[in-house]
């Protein structure tokens, strides 16, 4: 599939209303409006290549949201202008193949999102060769994704794609370290809402790629009664009763910082109890006290060094906000192949994409 050369990028702060301007949509796109000016946007056909959109859906991601994030990342880099260095140094007709390559060992997350960024920038067909999948462990030097398209487009998309790919792979790598430590116990590492504004769905996806599980995606998914709610409501029991009355079908988790707070919470019927800053010894007492009547989550004081000790007490979850707020990136680079001329003939892109270790060749926008 190809994108029109004159397609404008989504303009941040630009005019609202009218036809959608983002998403790489051409005249044949499913979002094309009718005579009455209405637009019915199907997330599986609008903007992104349908196969890529389907892969994102299968990963638990909204392709429209991914496309919006890709637009924002690219527009932030271009600031309604052009890539002046690339335009000045690279011939317009030049075509190349480039490899996204891991500079260090880790767990990969965000490859399909990097493809979405490319689809926003590329003004002609591009072919991809997928060497690994999200969630795979890789060694330094491993090729992750190879792309053949116009050289200008590759270089313009490079930083936006890498910013997201490196960030998400760093989260997945950190999560994998925790998941490995917990292996053999019933405890699972899970995230919090301490995420980058606008990137929560992607960062929580990266946690899943690393072997972790997600807590709530938003404030509306479940109730978590913390100390400030207790103060505002006049007590733990009062807070619990108020939530149950107002939202009877919503799961309720209650934070406690002392063992003596647990029995009344159990009596109220809490679904999950968060043990805040308990020691491993106190956590084991809490597990014995609850005796399976509610799920238990440890939070605070957790490190990779002591995670196993907490897990072996019998808790269900270890809540680690650092997965999304403090994980370092995984170093990944984009390298043009200097020894190949992918633009010798019209079929060069497909030939390059089909070469290599037998990975599937795909085309996208």
């Amino acid at each position: 599939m190809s994108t029109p050369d004159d397609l404008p990028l989504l303009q941040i702060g630009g005019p609202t209303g009218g036809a959608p301007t983002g998403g790489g949509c051409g005249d044949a796109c499913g979002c094309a409006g009718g005579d009455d000016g209405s637009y019915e946007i199907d997330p599986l056909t609008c903007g992104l290549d349908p196969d890529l959109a389907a892969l994102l859906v299968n990963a638990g991601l909204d392709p429209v949201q991914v496309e919006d994030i890709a637009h924002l990342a690219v527009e932030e880099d271009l600031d309604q202008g052009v890539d002046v260095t690339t335009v000045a140094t690279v011939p317009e007709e030049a075509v190349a193949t480039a490899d996204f390559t891991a500079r260090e060992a880790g767990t990969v997350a965000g490859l399909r999102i990097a493809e979405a960024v490319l689809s926003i920038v590329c003004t002609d067909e591009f072919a991809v060769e997928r060497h690994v999948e999200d969630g795979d462990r890789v060694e330094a030097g491993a090729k992750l994704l190879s792309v053949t398209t116009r050289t200008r487009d590759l270089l313009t998309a490079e930083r936006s794609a890498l910013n997201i790919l490196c960030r998400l792979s760093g989260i997945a790598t950190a999560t994998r370290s925790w998941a490995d430590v917990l292996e053999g116990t019933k405890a699972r590492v899970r995230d919090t809402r301490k995420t980058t504004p606008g990137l929560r769905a992607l960062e929580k996806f990266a946690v899943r790629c690393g072997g972790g599980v997600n807590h709530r995606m938003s404030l509306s998914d479940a109730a978590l009664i913390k100390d400030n709610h207790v103060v505002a409501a006049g007590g733990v029991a009062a807070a619990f009763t108020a939530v149950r009355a107002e939202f009877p079908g919503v799961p309720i988790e209650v934070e406690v910082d002392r063992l003596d707070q647990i029995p009344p919470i159990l009596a109220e019927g809490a679904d999950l109890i968060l043990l805040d800053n308990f020691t491993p010894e106190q956590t084991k007492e809490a597990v014995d006290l609850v005796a399976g009547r509610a799920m238990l989550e440890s939070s605070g004081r957790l490190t990779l060094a002591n995670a196993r000790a907490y897990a072996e007490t019998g808790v269900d979850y270890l809540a680690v906000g650092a997965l999304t707020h403090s994980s370092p990136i995984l170093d990944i680079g984009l390298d043009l192949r200097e020894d190949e001329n992918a633009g010798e003939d019209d079929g060069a892109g497909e030939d390059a994409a089909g070469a290599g270790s037998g990975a599937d060749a795909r085309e996208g926008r």
Side-chain angles (χ1 to χ4, degrees), residues 242-266:
V243 173
R244 182 64 81 209
E246 186 75 17
F247 302 100
V250 171
I252 302 179
E253 179 177 5
V254 182
E255 178 186 78
V256 301
D257 53 22
R258 302 191 315 272
L259 283 168
D260 66 320
Q261 295 172 322
I262 294 178
I265 295 302
L266 286 175

Side-chain angles (χ1 to χ4, degrees), residues 198-321:
L199 297 181
R200 176 170 296 168
L202 303 192
E203 292 180 346
K204 283 179 173 283
F205 161 72
V207 168
R208 299 195 299 273
C209 288
V213 294
N214 298 146
H215 191 200
R216 52 183 181 168
M217 293 296 293
S218 70
L219 292 170
S220 63
D221 292 351
L224 174 52
I225 299 172
K226 297 175 69 70
D227 52 0
N228 285 332
H229 301 107
V230 171
V231 171
V236 174
F240 189 98
T241 301
V243 173
R244 182 64 81 209
E246 186 75 17
F247 302 100
V250 171
I252 302 179
E253 179 177 5
V254 182
E255 178 186 78
V256 301
D257 53 22
R258 302 191 315 272
L259 283 168
D260 66 320
Q261 295 172 322
I262 294 178
I265 295 302
L266 286 175
E268 292 289 343
D271 301 286
L272 194 149
I273 299 173
L274 187 151
L275 308 174
D276 184 41
N277 283 305
F278 277 45
T279 66
E281 294 74 23
Q282 292 169 327
T283 303
K284 183 61 171 69
E285 289 185 62
V287 170
D288 294 340
L289 177 60
V290 171
R293 289 174 288 174
M295 301 188 80
L296 291 171
E297 179 172 29
S298 290
S299 177
R301 301 191 182 190
L302 300 176
T303 66
L304 276 174
N306 64 26
R308 185 79 185 188
Y310 277 93
E312 289 177 345
T313 67
V315 294
D316 299 282
Y317 300 109
L318 272 63
V320 182

